[in-house]
Amino acid sequence: MSQPPLDTIVAVATPPGRGGIGIVRLSGPLCRTVAAALLERTPEPRRATHAVFRDADGTAIDDGLALYFPAPHSFTGEDVLELHGHGGPVVLDLVVRRCTGLGARLARPGEFSERAFLNDKLDLAQAEAVADLIDSGTELAARAALRSLQGEFSRRVHVLVEGLIALRTHIEAAIDFPDEELDLLADSSLRQRLAALQEDSARLQAAANQGRLLRDGMTLVIAGRPNVGKSSLLNALAGFDSAIVTDVPGTTRDLLREHISLDGLPVHVVDTAGLRATNDVVERIGVDRAWEAAAAADEILLVIDDSAGITREDLTILERLPPGPPRLLVRNKIDLSGRAAGAGDGEHGQEVRISARTGTGLQPLRALLKARMGYADGGEGEFLARRRHLDALQRAHALLEQAAAQLLDHGAGELAAEDLRQAQLALGEITGEFTSDDLLGRIFATFCIGK
Ligand code: GDP
């Protein structure tokens, strides 16, 4: 790992705007120098110290509290000075300018967290969790982010890495000492350990997927011909009126995006313009955008009016739906058709029967949607994860399966050992043990300044 940088960084750590308190944070070797000049002394370590913040000519800029955390016992692992003053943009700017005048430089986005990572205070998954905790949009996501920040996810990754290392050592020993006749193919403990590792890896993947859903949510597209009840369904799922519900076909001309929470799981719902051929120019644009949205969705709900049955137009839409995302047929208006609510397999795949008007069948639909996204109720979202983590876990899992095949089908110990080593590297990307500077730069650049 590279050496920590030696300059001193400064930034306003509180959000822009006006507030009761505004915090300027510094990290680096100049903290004591800055304190000596600005506060006319270095505050006692880890003690809130009342002080006047003074400009170069001795005039007071602000009056507040100072906190000094000597290295290595600080967030970044370096000397850290926090100046808690009044939360106004001008006064905070004056404090920051005084600090830069004393030799500090303005911090880049995420640079405090980056230094914490470089000084082994946090691993990469934990540093990302800092940003995710701050950005979380639901209570469940916030709780899960905190668990990641506290190291829950990293710990699970380490357990898996240790299992991989132990197995690889075992295999390599067998390769190095062929005389001892460790027959890889006949070694039943080896089979068991491989199977156990594969299971652990699958479980971790499922948990991480859950964590990713909590962070990013899922995108749901509601498609169907006009007047089948798409807007009504969106409103019913969202729990308040957001789309225009009307009897005139073709009123929902544009895409409507709603962010709703399905029992804590963020869902971005896209209600599409009636997916149909039209000569109206404005409506045409809406229709085109509907198809684009459908192709990028995590799930497509194709809504039909059950009182009319599946019409030729419904079938045309069904045929033209993008092949990628999974889809679910929603038979709406069962209050008119008289069909019983519920879910099951129909001739067009899985279907649910609901009434957006009366609300019948909506709860099972919610449960089904969550299940189809791999979100288990009661799983509580053990930790928060990102797409990047899931990719690494998937790669590691595939390598583990490849290793198993090499070993159990071909007795190819060396190839299996190499696969296990690669799997370990993939997992190391999650915690940042094996991560390119390029990727690190990209990750921290998405953080905000002062974080
Ligand atoms: P969209 O064009 O597909 O978005 O359809 P809307 O949501 O605008 O609904 C069209 C019409 O069907 C409106 O008059 C709704 O009140 C009605 N509607 C929607 N869902 C139901 C339902 O479950 N039962 C009944 N009886 N009417 C419904």
Side-chain angles (χ1 to χ4, degrees), residues 112-126:
F112 289 91
S113 303
E114 185 175 4
R115 288 187 175 196
F117 167 71
L118 292 174
N119 290 323
D120 287 334
K121 284 282 166 178
L122 296 171
D123 67 31
L124 194 53
Q126 288 175 302

Side-chain angles (χ1 to χ4, degrees), residues 225-232 244-247 252 271 332-336 354-358:
R225 65 187 175 84
N227 243 12
V228 291
K230 297 182 298 298
S231 312
S232 307
I244 321 151
V245 182
T246 129
D247 290 318
T252 316
D271 177 21
N332 187 32
K333 308 197 188 182
I334 56 167
D335 55 310
L336 297 180
I354 64 153
S355 166
R357 176 168 285 177
T358 65

